[in-house]
Amino acid sequence: MSSLPRRIVLDTDPGIDDALAILLALASPEIELAGLSIVHGNCTLAEAVANGLSVLELGGGHHIPLFVGCDRPLLRPLTTAHDTHGQRGLGYAQLPPAQLQPASEHAVDFIIRTAMEAPGEVTLVAVGPLTNVALALRKEPRLAGALREIVMMGAALRADGNVTPRAEFNVYADPHAAQIVFSSGAPLVIMPWDITRLVRLHESEVNRLAQAGKPIGRFIADATRFYIEFHRRYFGYDGCAINDPAALALVFLPDLATYADVHVTVETCSPLTMGFTVADFMLSDGRQPNARAVVEFDTPRFLSLFVERMQMLEQRLYS
C-alpha cells in the first residue's frame, strides 16, 4: 500500500462539524488537502466562505485555497440551519476575520479541474448539500469516472431524519442534486445520519481539548457548546454528533467502518417526504448497488483519534 497522502477536495458548508472536519484534515498527515469548495447549507454561502477562511487560518492552513461555489439549491428555495449552528454558523465561537481571500475560480470548476488532472487519484469528500458536486458531474460527465471516489455525509437510510421525519439535512437542502449524485455512476461511500447521530463528542472530550487554553481548544469548546445545547434540546442527546469529521476519517481509516452495498433513490416530488432517501439493501427487482453505506462505525476509536489529532495540531501551531 502506498504511503503517499490521499489527495482530497473537501466540499463543505462550514458549519460547526464542518469546521471540525477542516481541522481534522489539516491535522492528518494521511491527507493532502487540495482545497475547500464551499456550498450553501448550514448557513448562507457568504457566511460559509468567511467561516471556512477563518478556520483555515486557525488550523494553519494558510496555503490551502478556498473556492466559492453555489449559493442556493438547484430547484428548491434555500434552506439553512442557523438554529443548529448559530447566528453565523460557528455556534458561540468568534473567530477574527481572515486575512486569506478566496480563489477566483468557481468551486465547480475547481472540482472538475483537480479530478481531471489526476484521474483515479482524487477523493471528493462532500459534507454539505450536494449542489456543487451535482453541477460538476453535469458540466463534466467524465468526472464520475475520474474520481477515485466520493465520500459523502448525508442521508437517513435506516433512521428518522434530522430535519423532517423522513429527511436528513444535506439531502433535504438539495434533493435534486443528491439524486444526480446517486445516479451518476461515481464510486460512492455514504456516511449516513443513522450512524453519525451516534458519533457524539461529549463535554468530557471538549474539556480535555479546552484545558490548555489554546486557540483550537477554545474554538472547539465555544463552537460545540452551542451544538451540545441544540442536541440536548432537540434530540435529548448528551453531547453533539460530529458528523463531518467521521465521514472525513473514512478516507484514511476505512476500517473504522463496516459497509453494505445499497441502491439509493431520493424523493424529489412529495412535499411530505421531500429528501427521503429510499435505501434498498435487498437490491430487489434486480437493482444494482449505487453506493456503499456505512452500517457500523467504531466510535470510541474515532473519538480518541479526533481528540489526539486536535491536541497534536494545537501543539504544532501554538506551542
Side-chain angles (χ1 to χ4, degrees):
M1 179 179 290
S2 171
S3 59
L4 293 174
R6 180 72 59 83
R7 187 165 172 80
I8 74 163
V9 169
L10 181 56
D11 190 75
T12 176
D13 57 334
I16 294 169
D17 56 324
D18 303 76
L20 302 186
I22 295 168
L23 292 174
L24 182 58
L26 295 172
S28 297
E30 305 92 341
I31 283 177
E32 177 194 344
L33 182 55
L36 302 183
S37 54
I38 304 297
V39 70
H40 68 90
N42 290 323
C43 47
T44 66
L45 181 69
E47 290 165 341
V49 168
N51 293 344
L53 292 170
S54 292
V55 173
L56 283 175
E57 285 194 352
L58 173 71
H62 302 78
H63 58 295
I64 305 296
L66 178 148
F67 300 84
V68 181
C70 299
D71 69 348
R72 67 197 71 184
L74 296 180
L75 296 176
R76 285 174 52 75
L78 178 68
T79 299
T80 60
H82 288 98
D83 57 339
T84 308
H85 292 268
Q87 185 177 5
R88 293 183 179 85
L90 295 178
Y92 295 122
Q94 300 285 336
L95 292 178
Q99 299 300 306
L100 294 172
Q101 294 295 315
S104 58
E105 187 178 19
H106 194 280
V108 168
D109 297 317
F110 161 66
I111 291 169
I112 294 169
R113 174 176 58 81
T114 305
M116 299 308 295
E117 285 176 350
E121 295 181 14
V122 175
T123 297
L124 176 56
V125 181
V127 295
L130 291 165
T131 314
N132 288 343
V133 182
L135 282 177
L137 288 162
R138 281 291 190 258
K139 185 172 183 180
E140 175 49 86
R142 296 175 297 169
L143 178 63
L147 287 166
R148 181 185 180 112
E149 65 183 357
I150 299 171
V151 177
M152 66 164 284
M153 188 279 132
L157 302 181
R158 287 173 162 167
D160 290 343
N162 62 351
V163 65
T164 75
R166 284 292 172 264
E168 178 275 332
F169 177 81
N170 285 342
V171 175
Y172 180 83
D174 197 341
H176 302 90
Q179 179 57 22
I180 288 172
V181 173
F182 285 128
S183 60
S184 69
L188 181 62
V189 174
I190 304 173
M191 180 55 137
W193 166 247
D194 323 15
I195 303 297
T196 63
R197 65 193 174 126
L198 304 174
V199 184
R200 298 178 201 159
L201 193 69
H202 295 91
E203 290 179 356
S204 58
E205 287 112 1
V206 173
N207 291 339
R208 281 176 57 197
L209 290 169
Q211 66 185 5
K214 294 179 181 177
I216 290 176
R218 287 201 307 270
F219 167 75
I220 293 173
D222 290 342
T224 58
R225 189 168 79 254
F226 186 96
Y227 213 28
I228 288 170
E229 289 172 2
F230 171 83
H231 280 72
R232 184 178 295 123
R233 182 173 65 250
Y234 193 81
F235 297 115
Y237 292 172
D238 285 326
C240 57
I242 52 171
N243 314 284
D244 298 345
L248 178 83
L250 297 177
V251 174
F252 59 92
L253 278 179
D255 64 346
L256 282 169
T258 303
Y259 306 85
D261 289 339
V262 63
H263 184 277
V264 181
T265 307
V266 184
E267 173 58 67
T268 59
C269 297
S270 166
L272 189 62
T273 57
M274 179 68 69
F276 177 39
T277 41
V278 182
D280 184 356
F281 285 91
M282 297 187 297
L283 301 175
S284 54
D285 297 328
R287 292 189 183 93
Q288 296 299 306
N290 59 2
R292 290 190 304 139
V294 174
V295 293
E296 293 180 17
F297 188 73
D298 191 341
T299 293
R301 182 180 164 208
F302 166 73
L303 288 176
S304 177
L305 170 90
F306 177 79
V307 170
E308 178 184 277
R309 292 283 169 98
M310 293 302 98
Q311 290 172 327
M312 289 171 58
L313 180 63
E314 189 164 64
Q315 187 172 17
R316 187 173 85 222
L317 295 174
Y318 295 104
S319 291

